[in-house]
Each structure stands twice: as C-alpha cells, then as structure tokens.
C-alpha cells in the first residue's frame, strides 16, 4: 500500500523522502514528476520542503489529492506530458512493474530537463538469485534487477549513474 495507508507504508515513504533530500542536498527542484506514486503523501512532504512550481503525479490508482499537485490518472508515458520537462523525476517501486524497463527509462529521459536528476527505488534481487531463492519470483514483478543489470539498463537509456546504493534488498 502507498504511504498514507499505514504506519509501515509511511515509514517507507519517509525513507523515500530522505532519499530525495540526499540527492537534492541544498538544491531546489522546481518541476517534479512522480511516476507510480500510489498517493499524494510524498508529494505533500516534498512540496512543503521545496515549494516546487510544478509537481505532477502520473498514476491511475491515486485516489487522494493535494494542493498544488497535478494528478494524471493514467500510465506513464503520457501524452499530457508531451512538451513538459522536469528537473526531478521520481519512481518509487515502479521500475520492476513496467513491461519494458529500457523503454520506460528512455521515456523518462525525454521528460528530463537539462541537468535533471532521476531517483528510482526498486528491489535488489541479486542476493536471492545467487542463493537460488525462487521466492523472489513470487511477487508481481515483471523484471528483477542486480547491480550489473541496473547499471547496464541506466547506461543503455543514456543516463550517468551518480549513485547506486543498496539497503534491505532495495536499490536507490
């Protein structure tokens, strides 16, 4: 469940907010795109922290709203974003669910402003795959990532990886 649904979901949301704060540091993103948000919970916190001019969420499942947050109830990529560019693109627990991760990242690249940044958080399956733990495949994920596959994918989509950290079987 998305942040706002439970204490556990909120704790995961707080981790995501801290990841954004770490990447943004002393900067101030003015145009933020969040893909697959699930709710406006993170958007509200980031709007409080950074006061961006534009904050857009693309997700067909969002049921709440927040002041200053445009919600597109559809999937990414989306024609409503055609000529728009964002200096910060967020995707939390979404990369593993898309049918074509390379195409997905290439579409993100098209939406990215010059010098923009992308923050993705998704499962790190390397440890389970190395152990032969098939339980990793029980989830509804379409793709499973290791550090090598993550770096290859980012490079193939035209990104420079500034940081790739792993914690609790998760890449950020």
């Amino acid at each position: 469940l998305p942040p706002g649904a439970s204490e556990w979901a909120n704790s995961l949301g707080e981790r995501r907010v801290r990841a954004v704060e770490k990447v943004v540091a002393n900067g101030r993103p003015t145009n933020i795109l969040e893909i697959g948000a699930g709710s406006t919970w993170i958007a509200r916190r980031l709007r409080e922290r950074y006061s961006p001019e534009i904050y857009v969420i693309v997700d067909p499942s969002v049921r709440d709203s927040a002041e200053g947050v445009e919600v597109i109830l559809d999937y990414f990529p989306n024609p409503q974003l055609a000529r728009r560019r964002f200096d910060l693109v967020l995707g939390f627990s979404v990369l593993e669910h898309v049918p074509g991760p390379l195409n997905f990242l290439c579409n993100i690249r098209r939406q990215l402003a010059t010098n923009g940044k992308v923050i993705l958080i998704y499962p790190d399956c390397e440890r389970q795959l190395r152990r032969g733990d098939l339980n990793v495949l029980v989830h509804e994920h379409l793709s499973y990532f290791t550090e090598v596959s993550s770096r290859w994918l980012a490079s193939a989509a035209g990104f420079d990886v500034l940081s790739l950290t792993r914690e609790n079987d998760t890449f950020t």
Side-chain angles (χ1 to χ4, degrees):
L1 294 174
S6 70
E7 279 188 45
W8 172 247
N10 292 354
S11 72
L12 294 177
E14 288 296 343
R15 281 192 216 168
R16 288 162 169 84
V17 169
R18 285 192 303 275
V20 171
E21 290 172 343
K22 182 179 177 184
V23 169
V24 171
N26 295 323
R28 179 185 165 260
T30 57
N31 301 301
I32 301 173
L33 171 63
E34 186 177 352
I35 303 167
S39 73
T40 61
W41 194 92
I42 290 173
R44 287 193 304 268
R45 272 144 190 82
L46 295 179
R47 282 195 41 76
E48 287 171 10
R49 173 82 165 84
Y50 299 109
S51 302
E53 295 171 18
I54 296 170
Y55 198 114
V56 179
I57 291 174
V58 178
D59 185 332
S61 70
V62 172
R63 297 295 175 247
D64 61 333
S65 62
E67 185 177 333
V69 177
E70 176 186 351
V71 177
I72 298 173
L73 293 172
D74 204 351
Y75 293 99
F76 179 85
N78 191 279
Q80 293 180 54
L81 300 173
R83 290 177 176 55
R84 297 169 79 175
R85 300 291 173 263
F86 300 88
D87 53 4
L88 183 60
V89 178
L90 309 172
F92 305 131
S93 300
V94 68
L95 186 62
E96 67 274 20
H97 296 280
V98 298
L102 179 57
N103 189 46
F104 179 78
L105 290 182
C106 288
N107 282 310
I108 287 176
R109 182 110 169 104
R110 286 185 201 91
Q111 302 291 163
L112 202 59
T114 303
N115 298 319
K117 293 185 179 181
V118 178
I119 302 172
L120 301 173
I121 297 178
Y122 54 96
D124 170 7
C125 300
E126 190 157 354
R127 187 173 53 85
Q128 293 94 330
L129 292 172
R130 286 192 186 281
R131 279 195 343 241
D133 182 356
L134 297 181
N135 288 318
V136 72
L137 304 175
V138 173
H139 299 287
E140 69 283 1
H141 301 163
L142 300 176
S143 297
Y144 299 86
F145 298 98
T146 65
E147 182 173 350
V148 169
S149 68
S150 295
R151 290 184 183 281
W152 178 89
L153 184 64
S155 177
F159 289 108
D160 294 323
V161 177
L162 301 177
S163 172
L164 180 66
T165 60
R166 54 173 28 137
E167 178 183 2
N168 299 327
D169 294 329
T170 302
F171 285 120
T172 301

